[in-house]
Amino acid sequence: MDAMSTVIGERRFLYHGTLPRARCVLISSESRFHSEQERLSLYLSALEAALAGYEVMTIARRGGMFSIIKGVEDGQGRLHSVSSSSMELVERRFSERALMVLGTGGSLMAAEDDGAGEDAAIEAALSFSSVLITTGRGRLMTSALDHGIDVAVLRSSLSSEAGREAARDGAPVIDTFSSFMSLPSLYAYRSADGRYGFGSERFDIMRL
């Protein structure tokens, strides 16, 4: 299937699927490597955001983070993934995760210029987002603050220097997406027979 194209900022992007209908919650990471607790926090944040009715945006370094994809998928939400790689590379090497993203009814985007890289992905993701939940201080967080976007850092990331730097710079420290909201509509909690699972753990949802 041929990709469609759109202009975001000053760049042309290729995309498959349906672009966001409203401002998204951007859940992404500054690192390629994560602790088990970070992966769990990212999963639960994506799950809570999706179940609360928010569309989720993420930046896909290589194939994209399984924890975020699965969280949105489990929450039956819409995920929009901007790749820092070319569309051709994503389709060829990461087709399984690309199909998971598109299966949510969301979109997969990549800059038409193959050399645009991570800076272009960050600009595109931020143009659709109103909130950033991340794992620490880096290019993404800096750009979000420059765009006037609210930023929070996951408590599970405070084991890293980038996470602690984000907190020292004033980013709120949160456990998951719901704890970032002033009036959350739901919380995820551990439950032995919960309907949602990540790794060996099970979770359920309490709605308010």
Side-chain angles (χ1 to χ4, degrees), residues 1-6 13-17 87 91 108 110 112:
M1 181 175 65
D2 292 335
M4 294 174 282
S5 67
T6 187
F13 280 74
L14 301 174
Y15 73 94
H16 293 293
M87 185 67 79
E91 292 172 341
L108 179 66
E112 191 172 56

Side-chain angles (χ1 to χ4, degrees), residues 10-55:
E10 298 181 353
R11 292 186 189 273
R12 184 166 292 279
F13 280 74
L14 301 174
Y15 73 94
H16 293 293
T18 304
L19 294 176
R21 297 172 295 200
R23 302 293 283 182
C24 298
V25 176
L26 175 55
I27 304 175
S28 197
S29 174
E30 298 284 4
S31 172
R32 295 183 190 274
F33 305 100
H34 308 89
S35 68
E36 183 177 341
Q37 277 304 115
E38 281 180 304
R39 289 193 295 271
L40 179 59
S41 298
L42 289 163
Y43 166 78
L44 290 173
S45 293
L47 175 68
E48 290 177 336
L51 287 170
Y54 293 91
E55 297 189 30

Side-chain angles (χ1 to χ4, degrees), residues 85-104:
S85 303
S86 69
M87 185 67 79
E88 185 274 333
L89 181 63
V90 172
E91 292 172 341
R92 177 167 49 85
R93 293 187 56 190
F94 306 108
S95 58
E96 183 178 349
R97 294 203 178 181
L99 289 173
M100 290 178 68
V101 170
L102 295 175
T104 69

Side-chain angles (χ1 to χ4, degrees), residues 69-193:
I69 297 172
K70 188 173 190 301
V72 176
E73 187 178 57
D74 286 358
Q76 298 184 328
R78 283 161 48 95
L79 179 62
H80 306 278
S81 181
V82 187
S83 177
S84 57
S85 303
S86 69
M87 185 67 79
E88 185 274 333
L89 181 63
V90 172
E91 292 172 341
R92 177 167 49 85
R93 293 187 56 190
F94 306 108
S95 58
E96 183 178 349
R97 294 203 178 181
L99 289 173
M100 290 178 68
V101 170
L102 295 175
T104 69
S107 60
L108 179 66
M109 293 172 261
E112 191 172 56
D113 174 8
D114 288 352
E118 190 169 359
D119 287 339
I122 288 172
E123 288 299 312
L126 292 175
S127 73
F128 289 109
S129 305
S130 57
V131 167
L132 167 65
I133 295 173
T134 187
T135 58
R137 179 72 148 158
R139 290 158 67 186
L140 175 57
M141 179 176 165
T142 299
S143 296
L145 293 172
D146 289 345
H147 282 71
I149 291 174
D150 290 335
V151 174
V153 63
L154 293 169
R155 185 184 306 275
S156 55
S157 297
L158 295 183
S159 57
S160 71
E161 179 56 36
R164 294 192 296 274
E165 186 177 353
R168 284 194 293 265
D169 286 349
V173 177
I174 65 170
D175 292 309
T176 62
F177 168 78
S178 286
S179 59
F180 192 29
M181 307 295 287
S182 56
L183 294 171
S185 60
L186 54 83
Y187 289 102
Y189 65 93
R190 283 181 170 84
S191 173
D193 56 353

